[in-house]
Amino acid sequence: LAGTVPRQRTPRSDMGRGLTLLLLPLALLAAEAEGDTGPAVEEEVKIEVLHLPESCSPKSKRGDLLNAHYDGFLASDGSKFYCSRTQNEGHPKWFVLGVGQVIKGLDIAMTDMCPGEKRKVIIPPSLAYGQQGYAHAKIPPNATLIFEIELYAVNKGPRSVEAFNQIDKDSDKKLSELEISQYLKEEFARDGKKRDPSVHDEILADIFKKNDHDGDGFISAKEYNVYQHDEL
């Protein structure tokens, strides 16, 4: 599951259209999983719900931007091949569901999932890395994978011109740290949920780390509208 097992302080609620569209998805590079994926008839993803919050809304669907942490294990011997909490300074992973940014088994496993929910899923080779495997993550050919997932946020996606313009208060076609900081404060105030003050700073830093590609302190319209993929 491409992602990080984020710090528990990460917000678990919908932070609004603009924010969800700002954050770049960090997930398994789907291209790594393509090729000969095995049997023509796909096997099923087995899903075990470990924790379901009392309030389960919104439920994830194709096209939503998700924020999650997860650990990946080989079913054959239980060895861990990935932990999002040890990658990218422990930040949870952001990715768009159902568009091929993660392996197909994860797209299936994380559908109809709500913020705060935890799942353990078993993904067969045909919905993971197939006969090729994934050498970079030491996943052998025909490997069945197990992921333990904790979902933090379900947001609307993908990016849009409307969301960019909503944040770009001075209409200069670039987003400053002040503009994004103000937008985060407005969204946090709107949903009324209590958060540790550090959450704001962490999300703001994460947004610029993932989106300000030229390091000029601004997120241009071009940078805002380009998705990037991080490998496992």
Side-chain angles (χ1 to χ4, degrees):
L1 192 168
T4 52
V5 182
R7 299 172 286 221
Q8 266 66 8
R9 295 172 308 202
T10 301
R12 303 187 180 190
S13 62
D14 187 332
M15 293 182 291
R17 294 173 302 181
L19 173 59
T20 67
L21 307 176
L22 268 174
L23 302 173
L24 283 177
L26 303 176
L28 292 176
L29 188 57
E32 297 285 355
E34 294 183 355
D36 188 350
T37 54
V41 178
E42 291 181 344
E43 302 165 272
E44 293 183 349
V45 174
K46 296 180 180 179
I47 300 174
E48 177 185 358
V49 177
L50 302 178
H51 173 72
L52 187 66
E54 291 184 9
S55 176
C56 186
S57 179
K59 288 191 174 183
S60 59
K61 62 184 183 303
R62 186 180 186 277
D64 283 341
L65 182 60
L66 307 186
N67 183 240
H69 264 315
Y70 42 87
D71 294 339
F73 306 85
L74 295 179
S76 59
D77 60 7
S79 61
K80 182 183 292 188
F81 62 82
Y82 185 78
C83 175
S84 62
R85 291 181 175 85
T86 62
Q87 302 292 321
N88 188 39
E89 299 179 350
H91 292 284
K93 294 294 185 179
W94 290 94
F95 66 97
V96 178
L97 183 67
V99 297
Q101 291 183 344
V102 295
I103 57 176
K104 190 172 183 179
L106 284 177
D107 274 335
I108 295 171
M110 296 186 69
T111 299
D112 290 327
M113 199 171 178
C114 53
E117 184 174 345
K118 297 179 182 180
R119 290 182 176 182
K120 179 179 180 180
V121 302
I122 301 176
I123 300 176
S126 61
L127 297 174
Y129 293 95
Q131 295 181 3
Q132 289 185 333
Y134 186 18
H136 179 70
K138 298 182 180 179
I139 298 175
N142 300 312
T144 295
L145 307 181
I146 298 174
F147 284 101
E148 294 181 357
I149 309 162
E150 182 171 6
L151 183 61
Y152 292 101
V154 177
N155 298 306
K156 293 180 181 179
R159 297 164 185 253
S160 69
V161 173
E162 290 77 14
F164 184 92
N165 291 337
Q166 182 181 0
I167 303 168
D168 184 21
K169 300 293 187 182
D170 59 9
S171 301
D172 63 353
K173 302 303 179 186
K174 58 184 180 181
L175 306 179
S176 68
E177 184 173 328
L178 179 61
E179 286 174 325
I180 296 175
S181 176
Q182 184 59 37
Y183 185 78
L184 289 176
K185 291 177 181 178
E186 293 172 355
E187 289 300 317
F188 288 171
R190 185 173 292 117
D191 72 19
K193 295 190 176 182
K194 293 183 179 180
R195 296 179 175 85
D196 188 289
S198 63
V199 169
H200 171 277
D201 295 338
E202 290 172 1
I203 293 178
L204 184 62
D206 200 48
I207 288 172
F208 274 86
K209 181 177 180 179
K210 307 300 190 310
N211 294 268
D212 183 17
H213 308 309
D214 60 11
D216 67 351
F218 295 91
I219 297 175
S220 67
K222 181 178 180 180
E223 289 171 327
Y224 176 86
N225 285 306
V226 176
Y227 279 120
Q228 289 188 340
H229 306 283
D230 284 2
E231 292 185 3
L232 180 87

